[in-house]
């Protein structure tokens, strides 16, 4: 397997590259680079190697459908090319287009989402989502005086990235441990989180603990917003496929020897939040209700959504 594919999938698997948007862009770029530097013989060889590269990339993290969508966007149409050169050029330009459009989507979400934030709002966010942080930072950039609470997000503590980013942007930010969520909800006006995957019936799959934010928000009638580019919508869920919830190594939770050997450790890293707890999903195509995900997906993907093998 080409170095670029091996290196990028390893960095995605070990979380050097993380966050659903970033892994999608990294996966698509790696496939584009793979095509650009391909030095094999025939078109058939290229298509076979491209398929292996795409499979390898997609398998690096199982939950975020963004990675699947990014890689599929990069390879789309290659099998209809009439020469190796045409196929390579197509994959390179597909990858570039995906990276550009996905970065633009994050900016569009920031400007749409910032409209939901009012002067004086206190916001809660979870983990480290570029889409959610884009919204919060855009509201601050517009001059709104806001406060943010950010969860630590055990075990990887992505909350440290979040509070550092927000503090460096000049935002008043407070770090809380994950189990403080229900307790701090009384201070919160709005919750903004990101998404790894959204199913066709509007269920959110995001960092473990997201669903407890949603429950605590529901209890206090605090609006709960999901910031998600539409490539986080999962076409496979239309057909009833379940989203795989990644479980990671127990070494992320306990140090060697810290607990007796017979203790089992369960480390699921994402959870699911039913659409009934979500007030709106902020996408680059506008703000939608969880119940509209299917329609948006069908409109965007057209007939190709039903072309599942
Ligand atoms: C990150 C996480 C983020 C989403 C969205 O989990 O759950 O909320 O990926 O991120 P991990 P973004 O750290 O395990 O990748 O909005 O940046 O795409």
């Amino acid at each position: 397997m080409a170095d670029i594919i091996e290196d990028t999938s390893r960095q995605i698997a070990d979380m050097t590259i993380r966050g659903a948007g970033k892994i999608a862009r990294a996966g698509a770029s790696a496939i584009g680079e793979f095509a650009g530097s391909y030095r094999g013989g025939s078109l058939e060889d290229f298509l076979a190697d491209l398929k292996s590269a795409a499979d390898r990339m997609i398998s690096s993290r199982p939950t975020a459908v963004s990675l699947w969508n990014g890689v599929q966007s990069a390879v789309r149409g290659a099998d209809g090319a009439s020469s190796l050169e045409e196929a390579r050029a197509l994959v390179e330009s597909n990858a570039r287009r995906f990276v550009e459009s996905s970065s633009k989507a994050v900016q569009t979400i920031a400007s749409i989402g910032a409209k939901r934030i009012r002067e004086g709002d206190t916001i809660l966010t979870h983990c480290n989502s570029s889409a959610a942080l884009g919204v919060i930072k855009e509201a601050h950039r517009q001059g709104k005086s806001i406060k943010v609470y950010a969860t630590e997000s055990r075990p990887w503590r992505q909350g440290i990235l979040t509070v550092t980013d927000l503090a460096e942007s000049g935002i008043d930010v407070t770090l809380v441990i994950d189990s403080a969520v229900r307790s701090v909800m009384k201070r919160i006006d709005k919750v903004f989180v990101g998404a790894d995957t959204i199913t066709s019936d509007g269920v959110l799959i995001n960092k473990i603990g997201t669903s407890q934010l949603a429950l605590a928000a529901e209890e206090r009638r605090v609006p709960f917003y999901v910031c998600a580019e539409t490539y986080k919508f999962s076409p496979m869920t239309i057909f009833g496929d379940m989203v795989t919830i990644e479980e990671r190594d127990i070494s992320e939770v306990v140090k060697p020897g810290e607990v007796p050997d017979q203790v089992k450790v369960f480390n699921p890293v994402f959870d699911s939040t039913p659409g009934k707890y979500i007030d709106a999903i902020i996408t680059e195509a506008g703000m939608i209700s969880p119940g509209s995900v299917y329609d948006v997906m069908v409109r965007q993907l057209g007939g190709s959504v039903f072309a599942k093998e």
Side-chain angles (χ1 to χ4, degrees), residues 139-205:
H140 172 74
R141 198 195 61 77
Q142 291 173 358
K144 293 174 189 168
S145 161
I146 54 172
K147 290 191 176 125
V148 179
Y149 281 79
T151 54
E152 181 188 15
S153 305
R154 280 273 295 152
W156 269 77
R157 307 183 78 219
Q158 290 93 331
I160 302 296
L161 298 172
T162 294
V163 295
T164 304
D165 186 356
L166 293 176
E168 286 174 356
S169 306
I171 297 173
D172 177 336
V173 60
T174 305
L175 181 70
V176 291
I177 59 170
D178 301 310
S179 41
V181 156
R182 185 161 178 253
S183 167
V184 298
M185 198 56 79
K186 55 172 117 29
R187 305 178 182 195
I188 304 299
D189 298 300
K190 277 150 204 161
V191 178
F192 287 87
V193 295
D196 279 84
T197 291
I198 297 181
T199 69
S200 59
D201 55 353
V203 176
L204 165 67
I205 316 295

Side-chain angles (χ1 to χ4, degrees), residues 23-36:
I23 65 175
R25 284 188 286 279
S29 296
I31 294 287
E33 239 180 272
F34 165 80

